[in-house]
Every structure is written in structure tokens, then in C-alpha cells.
Amino acid sequence: MEYITFALAKGRLAKKAMEVLGKAGIHCEEMNDPNTRKLIFTDEEHKFKFFLAKAGDVPTYVEYGAADIGIVGKDTILEEGKKLYEVIDFGFGKCRMCVAGPESARELLGSGRRIRVATKYPNIAKDYFTNVLHQTVEIIKLGGSIELAPIVGLSEVIVDIVETGSTLRENGLSVLTEIVPLSARMVVNQVSMKMEQERIQKLIADVRSVIGN
Ligand code: PRP
């Protein structure tokens, strides 16, 4: 039997996902060791492999078939735009991709003015401004703490993830429009889905029954 390989986005998401997979009978004890420097973990009995990767890299591993299955946020799936099957919405990691900024910037949206938009998600931002607001904007790519950009005058607005909204609130910013709701998803390589149809379909059904969808 061939291995089925999982790529998980490092961090909180991977931890929660492994809890759900555990309830569906897919375990990896080795991965729980906080001191390990190992990159890949194997469940010999069930022929599973697991590795952790930077979220943005997970769709790449899955598209190329280096992983059969990926677990990653919808934000990353949309941003990376790879050819994958999205098969499960885990329902955790819920948040929203939004356009945010000071209230005074609200009138700029859809105004036709060429504003600056700071974001870690240039593809999502460009797509939303071009195809939904029909507005040509300058996208400025940042690596983090995006909320800083309108405060220090780098951009008029931002496109970023909003979870509780407290980062925006504490910095005098508001949600101006919501782009899309987000949560953790399972994606599958398109060839693996055909080659390992039975095992992967069973795995999907088992995980679905745990999360009740
Ligand atoms: C994310 C996001 C916001 C914040 C939103 O940042 O970019 O800054 O969480 O959460 P809230 O609505 O609950 O305040 P993250 O912590 O991932 O770090 P980052 O600055 O590196 O993006």
C-alpha cells in the first residue's frame, strides 16, 4: 500500500486539524513531541505521512502531488489559486477577509480613485478591487502587521483577515467591506483523488462524520 501524505499549515490550525483527524482514527503521536526537529512523521501501521509547512506553501505541495492532502486556511487557497479539490470545510479557524481602514476611507471604495491597498494577499485584493469594485488600485504587499499601513500613511486601506476585530478597533480602524468568509479546509491533489479514490473517499467520509457535515 502506498503512503497517503498530509501537508498541514504550521501552527494553531495544524494542532486543531490533528485533533479532528485523531477522532476520525488518523493519529500521529510523534508529532505531539514539542522538542522534535523532525520534519516528516510516519504512521507505518496506517501508511500515512504528515509534514508541517508554511501555510502559503501547502497548496504548492498538494498541487505537485508531494502531498496528497493539504489542510490550510481558505485565505491561502484563494491567494495561491492552485488546481486542487477542496473537499472539507472544518468549520474552525473562522474569520473574514475584509477591506479595512479609517471610516474616512469608506467613500474611496468604488469611487474610481486610484488608492493604495496594503495587504499580505495581493491576489485576493487585486481580484476584489478589479472584479467587484471595478476600481484600479495600487497593491502594496506587506509581510504582517498590515494595520500599520493606513496609520502611518502607507496606504488608504488594507485587505486583511479579521477575526475578533480587536486589532482594528484598538487601532482606530473599521471593516469597510467584507470580501469572503474564511475557515480551515481540506484540499486534495487532483491525481491522488483518482488514484487513491477509495482510501481518500473513506477518509473524507470519516472526517465529515466527526465534524458533522
Ligand atoms: C491576523 C490578521 C490581523 C489579526 C486579526 O494577524 O492579520 O492582524 O490577526 O485578528 P483580530 O480581528 O482577532 O484582531 P496575525 O496575528 O496572523 O499576524 P500578522 O500580523 O503576521 O498577520
Side-chain angles (χ1 to χ4, degrees):
M1 190 160 59
E2 294 276 333
Y3 285 100
I4 288 187
T5 301
F6 289 80
L8 294 97
K10 256 188 233 177
R12 253 183 311 172
L13 191 140
K15 256 190 154 178
K16 278 204 158 181
M18 288 309 290
E19 275 172 36
V20 175
L21 294 184
K23 287 183 193 155
I26 302 159
H27 299 277
C28 188
E29 295 307 326
E30 261 190 313
M31 243 170 122
N32 299 328
D33 174 0
N35 298 316
T36 186
R37 304 291 290 168
K38 272 182 83 166
L39 294 172
I40 186 143
F41 306 94
T42 309
D43 174 348
E44 291 295 349
E45 191 190 339
H46 302 97
K47 294 284 180 203
F48 290 126
K49 286 188 180 180
F50 304 87
F51 65 86
L52 299 173
K54 216 167 164 189
D57 296 339
V58 168
T60 307
Y61 283 107
V62 178
E63 185 182 54
Y64 281 89
D68 303 290
I69 294 177
I71 299 179
V72 66
K74 180 69 176 176
D75 52 325
T76 307
I77 297 170
L78 290 171
E79 181 61 24
E80 297 302 318
K82 304 288 188 196
K83 281 191 229 104
L84 311 161
Y85 293 129
E86 187 183 312
V87 294
I88 291 178
D89 180 347
F90 282 98
F92 61 75
K94 277 200 173 136
C95 49
R96 307 175 286 155
M97 186 66 72
C98 293
V99 181
E103 272 303 330
S104 60
R106 192 178 288 279
E107 61 175 26
L108 298 172
L109 300 189
S111 69
R113 280 189 47 197
R114 191 185 161 87
I115 57 172
R116 287 184 293 192
V117 181
T119 187
K120 214 158 61 169
Y121 301 89
N123 294 324
I124 294 174
K126 190 166 199 313
D127 179 72
Y128 185 74
F129 275 91
T130 306
N131 298 317
V132 179
L133 296 181
H134 306 292
Q135 186 169 10
T136 306
V137 294
E138 183 175 346
I139 307 284
I140 301 175
K141 169 127 201 241
L142 292 178
S145 301
I146 316 298
E147 293 84 355
L148 261 177
I151 299 171
V152 298
L154 177 63
S155 70
E156 281 77 20
V157 298
I158 62 174
V159 165
D160 200 17
I161 291 173
V162 179
E163 193 181 348
T164 61
S166 53
T167 309
L168 291 179
R169 245 187 333 271
E170 287 182 28
N171 291 290
L173 305 172
S174 321
V175 169
L176 302 177
T177 54
E178 181 178 322
I179 299 176
V180 66
L182 306 167
S183 54
R185 310 289 163 101
M186 182 185 285
V187 292
V188 180
N189 170 272
Q190 296 190 337
V191 176
S192 306
M193 192 70 141
K194 294 191 184 74
M195 302 298 287
E196 288 285 353
Q197 199 176 21
E198 210 171 307
R199 283 179 80 198
I200 292 179
Q201 288 297 357
K202 178 174 184 311
L203 190 153
I204 293 170
D206 291 349
V207 172
R208 281 211 178 116
S209 78
V210 168
I211 61 180
N213 93 8

PDB file of all heavy atoms in Angstrom, residues 12 120-121 143-147 160-168, ligand 1:
ATOM      1  N   ARG A  12      -1.483  26.849  14.969  1.00  0.00           N
ATOM      2  CA  ARG A  12      -2.755  26.510  15.623  1.00  0.00           C
ATOM      3  C   ARG A  12      -3.618  25.612  14.761  1.00  0.00           C
ATOM      4  O   ARG A  12      -4.250  24.685  15.226  1.00  0.00           O
ATOM      5  CB  ARG A  12      -3.534  27.811  15.887  1.00  0.00           C
ATOM      6  CG  ARG A  12      -3.548  28.193  17.339  1.00  0.00           C
ATOM      7  CD  ARG A  12      -4.397  29.423  17.534  1.00  0.00           C
ATOM      8  NE  ARG A  12      -4.045  30.475  16.596  1.00  0.00           N
ATOM      9  CZ  ARG A  12      -4.728  31.601  16.433  1.00  0.00           C
ATOM     10  NH1 ARG A  12      -5.813  31.828  17.130  1.00  0.00           N
ATOM     11  NH2 ARG A  12      -4.335  32.536  15.582  1.00  0.00           N
ATOM     12  N   LYS A 120      -1.254  41.348   2.739  1.00  0.00           N
ATOM     13  CA  LYS A 120      -0.426  40.150   2.621  1.00  0.00           C
ATOM     14  C   LYS A 120      -1.008  39.259   1.515  1.00  0.00           C
ATOM     15  O   LYS A 120      -0.475  38.208   1.202  1.00  0.00           O
ATOM     16  CB  LYS A 120      -0.498  39.397   3.964  1.00  0.00           C
ATOM     17  CG  LYS A 120       0.737  38.700   4.358  1.00  0.00           C
ATOM     18  CD  LYS A 120       0.860  38.423   5.847  1.00  0.00           C
ATOM     19  CE  LYS A 120      -0.163  37.558   6.517  1.00  0.00           C
ATOM     20  NZ  LYS A 120       0.229  37.168   7.891  1.00  0.00           N
ATOM     21  N   TYR A 121      -2.154  39.670   0.964  1.00  0.00           N
ATOM     22  CA  TYR A 121      -2.914  38.868  -0.005  1.00  0.00           C
ATOM     23  C   TYR A 121      -3.135  39.650  -1.303  1.00  0.00           C
ATOM     24  O   TYR A 121      -4.268  40.029  -1.627  1.00  0.00           O
ATOM     25  CB  TYR A 121      -4.265  38.469   0.602  1.00  0.00           C
ATOM     26  CG  TYR A 121      -4.126  37.667   1.868  1.00  0.00           C
ATOM     27  CD1 TYR A 121      -4.058  38.290   3.110  1.00  0.00           C
ATOM     28  CD2 TYR A 121      -4.035  36.275   1.825  1.00  0.00           C
ATOM     29  CE1 TYR A 121      -3.917  37.557   4.276  1.00  0.00           C
ATOM     30  CE2 TYR A 121      -3.892  35.527   2.983  1.00  0.00           C
ATOM     31  CZ  TYR A 121      -3.833  36.178   4.201  1.00  0.00           C
ATOM     32  OH  TYR A 121      -3.692  35.433   5.341  1.00  0.00           O
ATOM     33  N   GLY A 143       4.356  41.941   4.800  1.00  0.00           N
ATOM     34  CA  GLY A 143       4.506  40.614   5.395  1.00  0.00           C
ATOM     35  C   GLY A 143       3.694  40.404   6.655  1.00  0.00           C
ATOM     36  O   GLY A 143       3.456  39.272   7.061  1.00  0.00           O
ATOM     37  N   GLY A 144       3.264  41.461   7.316  1.00  0.00           N
ATOM     38  CA  GLY A 144       2.499  41.306   8.561  1.00  0.00           C
ATOM     39  C   GLY A 144       2.179  42.665   9.150  1.00  0.00           C
ATOM     40  O   GLY A 144       2.562  43.692   8.582  1.00  0.00           O
ATOM     41  N   SER A 145       1.458  42.651  10.283  1.00  0.00           N
ATOM     42  CA  SER A 145       1.020  43.902  10.936  1.00  0.00           C
ATOM     43  C   SER A 145       0.496  44.899   9.911  1.00  0.00           C
ATOM     44  O   SER A 145       0.868  46.074   9.901  1.00  0.00           O
ATOM     45  CB  SER A 145       2.163  44.541  11.733  1.00  0.00           C
ATOM     46  OG  SER A 145       2.611  43.641  12.699  1.00  0.00           O
ATOM     47  N   ILE A 146      -0.394  44.416   9.077  1.00  0.00           N
ATOM     48  CA  ILE A 146      -0.915  45.201   7.943  1.00  0.00           C
ATOM     49  C   ILE A 146      -1.625  46.475   8.426  1.00  0.00           C
ATOM     50  O   ILE A 146      -1.631  47.492   7.725  1.00  0.00           O
ATOM     51  CB  ILE A 146      -1.901  44.342   7.104  1.00  0.00           C
ATOM     52  CG1 ILE A 146      -1.361  42.937   6.872  1.00  0.00           C
ATOM     53  CG2 ILE A 146      -2.238  45.012   5.774  1.00  0.00           C
ATOM     54  CD1 ILE A 146      -0.080  42.838   6.113  1.00  0.00           C
ATOM     55  N   GLU A 147      -2.205  46.372   9.638  1.00  0.00           N
ATOM     56  CA  GLU A 147      -2.980  47.503  10.177  1.00  0.00           C
ATOM     57  C   GLU A 147      -2.150  48.773  10.307  1.00  0.00           C
ATOM     58  O   GLU A 147      -2.700  49.878  10.385  1.00  0.00           O
ATOM     59  CB  GLU A 147      -3.571  47.141  11.548  1.00  0.00           C
ATOM     60  CG  GLU A 147      -4.635  46.043  11.501  1.00  0.00           C
ATOM     61  CD  GLU A 147      -4.063  44.636  11.497  1.00  0.00           C
ATOM     62  OE1 GLU A 147      -2.819  44.478  11.433  1.00  0.00           O
ATOM     63  OE2 GLU A 147      -4.866  43.677  11.533  1.00  0.00           O
ATOM     64  N   ASP A 160      -7.227  42.472   4.747  1.00  0.00           N
ATOM     65  CA  ASP A 160      -6.626  41.600   5.754  1.00  0.00           C
ATOM     66  C   ASP A 160      -7.684  40.726   6.407  1.00  0.00           C
ATOM     67  O   ASP A 160      -8.884  40.940   6.229  1.00  0.00           O
ATOM     68  CB  ASP A 160      -5.906  42.436   6.812  1.00  0.00           C
ATOM     69  CG  ASP A 160      -4.866  41.635   7.591  1.00  0.00           C
ATOM     70  OD1 ASP A 160      -4.462  40.548   7.131  1.00  0.00           O
ATOM     71  OD2 ASP A 160      -4.442  42.104   8.667  1.00  0.00           O
ATOM     72  N   ILE A 161      -7.194  39.787   7.202  1.00  0.00           N
ATOM     73  CA  ILE A 161      -8.069  38.891   7.945  1.00  0.00           C
ATOM     74  C   ILE A 161      -8.562  39.587   9.207  1.00  0.00           C
ATOM     75  O   ILE A 161      -7.761  40.199   9.926  1.00  0.00           O
ATOM     76  CB  ILE A 161      -7.298  37.613   8.321  1.00  0.00           C
ATOM     77  CG1 ILE A 161      -6.996  36.791   7.071  1.00  0.00           C
ATOM     78  CG2 ILE A 161      -8.063  36.799   9.331  1.00  0.00           C
ATOM     79  CD1 ILE A 161      -6.103  35.606   7.340  1.00  0.00           C
ATOM     80  N   VAL A 162      -9.853  39.480   9.459  1.00  0.00           N
ATOM     81  CA  VAL A 162     -10.431  39.993  10.699  1.00  0.00           C
ATOM     82  C   VAL A 162     -11.051  38.815  11.425  1.00  0.00           C
ATOM     83  O   VAL A 162     -11.862  38.087  10.848  1.00  0.00           O
ATOM     84  CB  VAL A 162     -11.504  41.068  10.418  1.00  0.00           C
ATOM     85  CG1 VAL A 162     -12.098  41.570  11.733  1.00  0.00           C
ATOM     86  CG2 VAL A 162     -10.909  42.218   9.624  1.00  0.00           C
ATOM     87  N   GLU A 163     -10.623  38.633  12.685  1.00  0.00           N
ATOM     88  CA  GLU A 163     -11.205  37.527  13.451  1.00  0.00           C
ATOM     89  C   GLU A 163     -12.150  38.115  14.495  1.00  0.00           C
ATOM     90  O   GLU A 163     -13.355  38.157  14.306  1.00  0.00           O
ATOM     91  CB  GLU A 163     -10.092  36.688  14.065  1.00  0.00           C
ATOM     92  CG  GLU A 163     -10.608  35.367  14.603  1.00  0.00           C
ATOM     93  CD  GLU A 163      -9.514  34.525  15.243  1.00  0.00           C
ATOM     94  OE1 GLU A 163      -8.320  34.852  15.084  1.00  0.00           O
ATOM     95  OE2 GLU A 163      -9.866  33.549  15.924  1.00  0.00           O
ATOM     96  N   THR A 164     -11.598  38.641  15.572  1.00  0.00           N
ATOM     97  CA  THR A 164     -12.450  39.257  16.603  1.00  0.00           C
ATOM     98  C   THR A 164     -12.704  40.727  16.291  1.00  0.00           C
ATOM     99  O   THR A 164     -13.637  41.317  16.830  1.00  0.00           O
ATOM    100  CB  THR A 164     -11.759  39.185  17.974  1.00  0.00           C
ATOM    101  OG1 THR A 164     -10.521  39.912  17.888  1.00  0.00           O
ATOM    102  CG2 THR A 164     -11.460  37.755  18.374  1.00  0.00           C
ATOM    103  N   GLY A 165     -11.842  41.321  15.481  1.00  0.00           N
ATOM    104  CA  GLY A 165     -11.966  42.748  15.169  1.00  0.00           C
ATOM    105  C   GLY A 165     -11.220  43.636  16.154  1.00  0.00           C
ATOM    106  O   GLY A 165     -11.191  44.858  15.991  1.00  0.00           O
ATOM    107  N   SER A 166     -10.569  43.018  17.150  1.00  0.00           N
ATOM    108  CA  SER A 166      -9.946  43.872  18.176  1.00  0.00           C
ATOM    109  C   SER A 166      -8.695  44.579  17.667  1.00  0.00           C
ATOM    110  O   SER A 166      -8.425  45.710  18.085  1.00  0.00           O
ATOM    111  CB  SER A 166      -9.686  43.106  19.472  1.00  0.00           C
ATOM    112  OG  SER A 166      -8.965  41.958  19.203  1.00  0.00           O
ATOM    113  N   THR A 167      -7.946  43.971  16.764  1.00  0.00           N
ATOM    114  CA  THR A 167      -6.760  44.661  16.217  1.00  0.00           C
ATOM    115  C   THR A 167      -7.194  45.939  15.502  1.00  0.00           C
ATOM    116  O   THR A 167      -6.590  47.006  15.673  1.00  0.00           O
ATOM    117  CB  THR A 167      -5.969  43.754  15.250  1.00  0.00           C
ATOM    118  OG1 THR A 167      -5.726  42.505  15.883  1.00  0.00           O
ATOM    119  CG2 THR A 167      -4.648  44.390  14.854  1.00  0.00           C
ATOM    120  N   LEU A 168      -8.269  45.849  14.720  1.00  0.00           N
ATOM    121  CA  LEU A 168      -8.772  47.041  14.019  1.00  0.00           C
ATOM    122  C   LEU A 168      -9.235  48.084  15.030  1.00  0.00           C
ATOM    123  O   LEU A 168      -8.822  49.246  14.971  1.00  0.00           O
ATOM    124  CB  LEU A 168      -9.933  46.674  13.086  1.00  0.00           C
ATOM    125  CG  LEU A 168      -9.596  45.838  11.845  1.00  0.00           C
ATOM    126  CD1 LEU A 168     -10.859  45.561  11.051  1.00  0.00           C
ATOM    127  CD2 LEU A 168      -8.555  46.541  10.970  1.00  0.00           C
TER     128      LEU A 168
HETATM  129  C1  PRP B   1      -4.093  38.405  11.866  1.00  0.00           C
HETATM  130  C2  PRP B   1      -4.582  39.484  10.944  1.00  0.00           C
HETATM  131  C3  PRP B   1      -4.931  40.613  11.878  1.00  0.00           C
HETATM  132  C4  PRP B   1      -5.389  39.877  13.122  1.00  0.00           C
HETATM  133  C5  PRP B   1      -6.893  39.887  13.187  1.00  0.00           C
HETATM  134  O1  PRP B   1      -2.778  38.650  12.147  1.00  0.00           O
HETATM  135  O2  PRP B   1      -3.580  39.841  10.011  1.00  0.00           O
HETATM  136  O3  PRP B   1      -3.802  41.401  12.144  1.00  0.00           O
HETATM  137  O4  PRP B   1      -4.919  38.531  13.025  1.00  0.00           O
HETATM  138  O5  PRP B   1      -7.377  39.322  14.376  1.00  0.00           O
HETATM  139  P1  PRP B   1      -8.444  40.079  15.275  1.00  0.00           P
HETATM  140  O6  PRP B   1      -9.552  40.545  14.377  1.00  0.00           O
HETATM  141  O7  PRP B   1      -8.935  38.996  16.224  1.00  0.00           O
HETATM  142  O8  PRP B   1      -7.764  41.186  15.976  1.00  0.00           O
HETATM  143  P2  PRP B   1      -1.785  37.576  12.733  1.00  0.00           P
HETATM  144  O9  PRP B   1      -1.939  37.505  14.201  1.00  0.00           O
HETATM  145  O10 PRP B   1      -1.940  36.297  11.999  1.00  0.00           O
HETATM  146  O11 PRP B   1      -0.353  38.228  12.434  1.00  0.00           O
HETATM  147  P3  PRP B   1       0.234  39.077  11.215  1.00  0.00           P
HETATM  148  O12 PRP B   1       0.278  40.477  11.712  1.00  0.00           O
HETATM  149  O13 PRP B   1       1.579  38.497  10.979  1.00  0.00           O
HETATM  150  O14 PRP B   1      -0.660  38.931  10.020  1.00  0.00           O
END
